[in-house]
Amino acid sequence: NICFIWNAAYYKEEKFCELVEEKDSQIYCYHLLAVHSKNSEYCNKTDIYQEYCNTEVEAITKKDPSICERMTGNPGNCYQYVSLVYGDLDLCYKSYTAPQCLMNIIQKNNDINLCKEIKGEYDNSFCYTYFAVKGKKPKLCDKSDTPESCFLATAITLQDITLCNMTGYDESNCND
């Protein structure tokens, strides 16, 4: 199911949502399809989430995140969707999944310089860890707010016991 959902969003094709068997997952698929394709017609298939879906698509198509404020409850998802479409890190801080939102934009843009833009209560180590592992460049962890955790995650992921010496942890922590 998850492959169909992400393919629908990525390729902007309804046929993938039609293949999703479970009802709630199919609703989620149409919701993502509407947001990523910027087409509110798919919101008609999102059941009780239709109002949210329409509001999110409107905010995206009008490039106006203030529209998210019209949502009852928490407009966090709306901010997240708008931030992802336009690559706006600042909007991520209004979403209730800020670290994931930030990481999605960073991965989408594949830009390590965005790690420096992470602010406030959020530690940027997850960002530097991503690039350290991806590029097999553990020294990037030195730029992290918490280099020890970055080195540890990189050591475990790359299965490099020598990186444990840079973590302050004992080597047994790197054998996970």
Side-chain angles (χ1 to χ4, degrees):
N1 274 346
I2 195 71
C3 287
F4 293 138
I5 293 169
W6 291 116
N7 277 330
Y10 182 78
Y11 293 109
K12 299 171 183 71
E13 297 265 347
E14 182 177 12
K15 66 183 177 186
F16 292 107
C17 291
E18 293 167 355
L19 297 170
V20 177
E21 295 174 4
E22 202 265 319
K23 179 74 173 155
D24 287 340
S25 295
Q26 190 175 57
I27 289 170
Y28 179 63
C29 184
Y30 281 111
H31 189 149
L32 282 182
L33 178 59
V35 166
H36 286 272
S37 67
K38 303 175 193 167
N39 184 344
S40 62
E41 288 184 29
Y42 295 118
C43 293
N44 296 332
K45 298 182 179 189
T46 60
D47 203 30
I48 61 171
Y49 303 105
Q50 188 171 351
E51 182 182 340
Y52 288 108
C53 183
N54 282 320
T55 302
E56 291 162 352
V57 172
E58 182 182 356
I60 290 166
T61 56
K62 291 184 177 178
K63 298 181 182 180
D64 183 1
S66 69
I67 291 171
C68 296
E69 291 299 322
R70 292 195 323 231
M71 297 178 77
T72 56
N74 190 334
N77 274 345
C78 183
Y79 287 121
Q80 180 171 330
Y81 291 133
V82 175
S83 67
L84 288 173
V85 170
Y86 295 109
D88 186 338
L89 291 176
D90 287 331
L91 284 177
C92 286
Y93 296 107
K94 291 185 174 187
S95 94
Y96 48 79
T97 55
Q100 185 60 48
C101 179
L102 293 165
M103 200 61 225
N104 286 340
I105 292 173
I106 289 162
Q107 288 174 331
K108 180 179 175 184
N109 291 303
N110 196 32
D111 184 356
I112 194 168
N113 294 315
L114 293 175
C115 296
K116 292 183 258 180
E117 304 296 318
I118 297 171
K119 60 187 178 192
E121 66 189 79
Y122 302 103
D123 180 328
N124 65 11
S125 66
F126 67 86
C127 185
Y128 285 108
T129 301
Y130 169 76
F131 286 105
V133 169
K134 182 179 179 202
K136 296 183 180 172
K137 297 178 181 178
K139 280 294 194 186
L140 291 173
C141 291
D142 286 329
K143 297 179 179 185
S144 168
D145 289 339
T146 53
E148 304 81 24
S149 64
C150 180
F151 279 119
L152 179 62
T154 304
I156 292 169
T157 306
L158 296 179
Q159 298 179 341
D160 184 347
I161 199 79
T162 62
L163 293 176
C164 279
N165 298 331
M166 303 169 123
T167 67
Y169 296 103
D170 125 352
E171 286 187 6
S172 65
N173 287 315
C174 291
N175 292 326
D176 290 345

